[in-house]
Amino acid sequence: MWPWIMMALLVAWAGMGAWQRYKPLPEGLGRTFPERPAVDVSFLADETWYTPSGERRARRQIFDEVMAMIGQAKRLVVLDIFLFNDFAGGADGQDFRPLSAEITDALVDQKKRYPVLNAVVITDPLNTLYGGHELAHLARLREAGVTVVVTDITRLRASNPLWSGAWHLGPRWLGNHSDGGWLPNALGPGKVTLRSYMALLNFNANHRKTLIVDRGDGWAGLITSANPHDASSLHGNVALRFEGAAALDLLASERPVAGWSGVSLPGPRSSTGPEPTVEEGSVEGASVERGSVEESRVQVLTEGAIREALLAAIQASGSGDRLDVAVFYLSHREVIEALVAAQRRGVALRVLLDPNRDAFGLQKGGIPNRPVAHELHAAGVPMRWCATQGEQCHSKLLLRRPAAAGGEGEMILGSANFTRRNLDDLNLETSVRLVGPADTPALQDASAFFERRWQSTPQRVTSEPFAAHDDASTWQRLRYRIMEATGLSTF
């Protein structure tokens, strides 16, 4: 009987893996929201550079703005964040900003100030080691009346189907708890269970980084690549803040994720037309801010819709147009092929990448960026590396500017790396697209940010030439292709 039993188990494993990889997406994911009039749009960045002596300098904007937005909210705060903890991995002892505590304090204080405030924090189960670790700051939020939602990521498609097929058949149903852990926590202090690591191997996540708040009679939103994670506080990141109808689209994008845990988000609901409408479930006394209609437009994108927008922006670039990319991970084959094609048709393309050598005190092997950079460099694409000393160049930014006077520029930024996991409906992701005249202030600010990182000087070291990390071996290139295709990777 054993051969038949083994055959049945293998068939069940393969069948479950295939189902988890290709099952229908939950309703409300992978959305392209309408283009909305850009109201009070601003580009924000966290930047790091080095002096000639190697001393680190930094300029931080993103979480100062996040806390300012929370600090003026009276009716609603919805924060959806991937990493929200003080775990430092192997990087303990560094001078990190205590972002997780600062955000927790801001939410608790605002809830005390305005008891009627509806405050909701949505986060990824990685923060609790998939149920194997308790976090004091999440408990504190709950005690203060803040609704904490740990995302049910089992609803997502399998990023690593070779493992997820087996996990969904057995280990998933064992549950998990924070008592009795006996394995070291690779992310921080304490012990965790084997079940935590078994869940981790699925390699999928709620990777979003968004904020929605009421602002006076209107609404404001922020989409970023940054996490309120202490050990990430030195990273370089980007964000876009905006108000008006697009903020309600952002709120609408969070409703399905909260709903998986039985949490109904209050507030106005966006419409599919050019302006939002107030429907049942609105916060009492709230109104929708129409804002002034400007030439520039803002568009919220989630999951696979981000991929389509990136490809469309690259393919829309013509000879002489400027196309700049600054991203933590670049590995998606369609995006890479589109960039090579753009280079061949005369687009003025520049790609700035993280060298993929540091991860919270641990050394990485340069995958996927170094093999990809080797490929792009061979195709004639100008390449540079962010100058880093332990931190990460964590932005996810594409910026297109027209060669012709009077043409429209375009920017896409947010949580999504340019990888299969981030762009092919496997993770939860949110990015934002800004389109408008080339002199739109937010587009100009983003352009200036890229120039500062690209144009390194002896007095302000921000990046390194391609040759500084041109060490991708044939084995690395092969490993990257296998890892990208199978999902057996963390990128």
Side-chain angles (χ1 to χ4, degrees):
M1 292 293 294
W2 282 110
W4 291 105
I5 293 173
M6 293 302 298
M7 180 65 71
L9 289 174
L10 288 172
V11 169
W13 183 0
M16 180 59 76
W19 165 251
Q20 293 297 331
R21 176 63 183 87
Y22 296 107
K23 65 184 179 183
L25 285 174
E27 186 176 355
L29 269 59
R31 291 191 63 182
T32 301
F33 286 85
E35 291 185 359
R36 306 293 195 180
V39 179
D40 292 334
V41 175
S42 57
F43 174 84
L44 306 166
D46 290 348
E47 303 177 60
T48 299
W49 65 95
Y50 292 90
T51 67
S53 63
E55 187 176 356
R56 179 188 286 137
R57 294 281 189 266
R59 175 174 177 260
R60 307 293 179 205
Q61 294 181 316
I62 296 172
F63 283 105
D64 289 346
E65 180 61 31
V66 166
M67 283 183 285
M69 291 173 69
I70 293 172
Q72 57 78 56
K74 298 179 181 178
R75 299 189 303 274
L76 181 65
V77 173
V78 178
L79 177 69
D80 189 348
I81 287 292
F82 172 50
L83 292 180
F84 186 23
N85 62 67
D86 60 358
F87 299 160
D92 276 328
Q94 296 193 30
D95 187 21
F96 297 133
R97 180 178 175 181
L99 287 173
S100 57
E102 289 182 15
I103 297 297
T104 299
D105 289 344
L107 289 166
V108 170
D109 291 347
Q110 200 66 7
K111 182 66 177 174
K112 289 179 180 177
R113 192 174 295 119
Y114 299 100
V116 297
L117 174 71
N118 281 284
V120 182
V121 172
I122 305 171
T123 194
D124 186 79
L126 176 62
N127 293 284
T128 66
L129 275 299
Y130 306 93
H133 187 82
E134 289 187 355
L135 290 179
H137 69 284
L138 294 185
R140 184 170 170 235
L141 287 171
R142 291 187 177 101
E143 291 169 0
V146 176
T147 301
V148 177
V149 177
V150 178
T151 309
D152 180 8
I153 59 173
T154 62
R155 292 176 176 258
L156 302 177
R157 289 174 176 168
S159 177
N160 178 13
L162 291 176
W163 167 247
S164 295
W167 187 78
H168 279 278
L169 286 174
R172 173 188 170 185
W173 306 105
L174 297 176
N176 204 354
H177 59 78
S178 57
D179 298 325
W182 56 280
L183 293 173
N185 177 4
L187 303 182
K191 302 287 186 180
V192 297
T193 64
L194 176 61
R195 284 164 286 175
S196 292
Y197 284 101
M198 295 173 78
L200 174 65
L201 292 174
N202 288 294
F203 294 143
N204 57 1
N206 177 358
H207 196 244
R208 293 180 176 183
K209 302 145 178 65
T210 68
L211 174 66
I212 309 102
V213 300
D214 67 282
R215 179 170 172 79
D217 291 331
W219 301 90
L222 182 142
I223 296 174
T224 182
S225 63
N227 291 293
H229 168 230
D230 296 12
S232 297
S233 61
L234 301 178
H235 293 356
N237 281 293
V238 293
L240 195 74
R241 183 200 181 281
F242 48 90
E243 298 188 16
L248 294 185
D249 290 339
L250 186 56
L251 178 60
S253 74
E254 295 295 342
R255 294 188 191 280
V257 180
W260 296 349
S261 298
V263 175
S264 178
L265 298 182
R269 298 175 182 270
S270 65
S271 69
T272 56
E275 291 291 341
T277 59
V278 179
E279 299 179 2
E280 185 179 356
S282 300
V283 174
E284 185 177 355
S287 63
V288 178
E289 180 175 337
R290 301 293 176 175
S292 59
V293 177
E294 302 174 359
E295 293 183 74
S296 54
R297 290 97 61 202
V298 174
Q299 185 175 38
V300 175
L301 308 163
T302 66
E303 290 79 51
I306 304 169
R307 177 195 62 236
E308 299 307 315
L310 288 170
L311 292 172
I314 297 169
Q315 292 161 1
S317 303
S319 179
D321 288 352
R322 167 68 66 192
L323 189 64
D324 292 326
V325 173
V327 65
F328 178 55
Y329 281 144
L330 173 58
S331 65
H332 196 286
R333 294 311 307 171
E334 287 184 76
V335 173
I336 293 166
E337 291 164 4
L339 290 173
V340 171
Q343 174 70 20
R344 289 173 178 165
R345 64 176 178 266
V347 175
L349 175 62
R350 296 181 295 182
V351 177
L352 177 68
L353 298 178
D354 183 88
N356 290 170
R357 66 182 178 187
D358 298 297
F360 310 114
L362 302 176
Q363 292 295 307
K364 300 175 64 177
I367 294 176
N369 284 358
R370 297 191 198 188
V372 170
H374 181 89
E375 180 180 352
L376 292 174
H377 179 76
V381 177
M383 304 288 308
R384 286 187 71 84
W385 305 102
C386 290
T388 61
Q389 295 182 20
E391 79 281 3
Q392 296 173 349
C393 193
H394 197 250
S395 59
K396 302 94 167 65
L397 172 68
L398 180 142
L399 181 62
R400 179 175 66 85
R401 288 166 289 172
E408 284 196 324
E410 179 177 8
M411 173 170 62
I412 300 172
L413 66 79
S415 71
N417 287 295
F418 299 175
T419 73
R420 165 186 173 272
R421 177 168 289 113
N422 297 120
L423 298 179
D424 284 0
D425 292 317
L426 300 174
N427 277 356
L428 291 174
E429 305 283 355
T430 305
S431 291
V432 60
R433 175 174 174 261
L434 174 65
V435 186
D439 61 356
T440 300
L443 291 174
Q444 290 185 321
D445 290 344
S447 176
F449 162 79
F450 188 92
E451 292 297 332
R452 288 193 299 271
R453 294 241 55 167
W454 183 269
Q455 304 290 353
S456 185
T457 68
Q459 290 72 37
R460 183 186 172 103
V461 179
T462 57
S463 62
E464 300 175 293
F466 169 72
H469 300 290
D470 180 22
D471 55 4
S473 65
T474 301
W475 171 234
Q476 276 186 312
R477 294 194 289 271
L478 178 61
R479 282 174 58 203
Y480 142 62
R481 295 298 293 269
I482 293 172
M483 293 164 76
E484 176 77 1
T486 63
L488 291 170
S489 70
T490 57
F491 61 81

